[in-house]
Amino acid sequence: MTPLHTILTLPRLRVEQTPLDATEADLLARLGRLVEATGPMPDVRVLAPAIRALFPAPTYQVGCGGTHIWLHRTDDPGRLAIIHEDR
């Protein structure tokens, strides 16, 4: 059955690790501005291409879950940041 309306949500950024250096701190600040500038949307995962452009491979890995985008340093199993839906 097709939904009668689309639920819009705001993306929220949660940084989970301290930046390694000034360059990474700048990238995370830019990511924060990107997320803040984004209005309500039906799926935060549409931001993934812009995040991949900010945090390119092979240094970073960007992936999507059901309602979120995760960001890892390639050489660190811990999540650097997550962008999730704020419902």
Side-chain angles (χ1 to χ4, degrees):
M1 179 176 217
T2 304
L4 298 177
H5 65 283
T6 301
I7 297 172
L8 299 179
T9 61
L10 285 170
R12 295 289 179 219
L13 171 64
R14 185 174 73 223
V15 176
E16 299 183 344
Q17 292 190 37
T18 303
L20 291 178
D21 54 26
T23 301
E24 190 171 86
D26 179 61
L27 288 172
L28 288 167
R30 291 172 61 192
L31 177 59
R33 289 190 296 273
L34 171 70
V35 171
E36 287 175 9
T38 302
M41 58 181 44
D43 190 335
V44 298
R45 295 173 294 176
V46 300
L47 292 173
I51 296 169
R52 285 187 183 104
L54 271 177
F55 294 88
T59 306
Y60 297 97
Q61 295 177 332
V62 177
C64 298
T67 58
H68 66 279
I69 302 167
W70 51 262
L71 172 62
H72 283 262
R73 296 179 192 112
T74 300
D75 62 354
D76 184 343
R79 193 167 55 204
L80 176 59
I82 186 168
I83 298 87
H84 59 92
E85 294 180 354
D86 185 14
R87 291 188 181 231

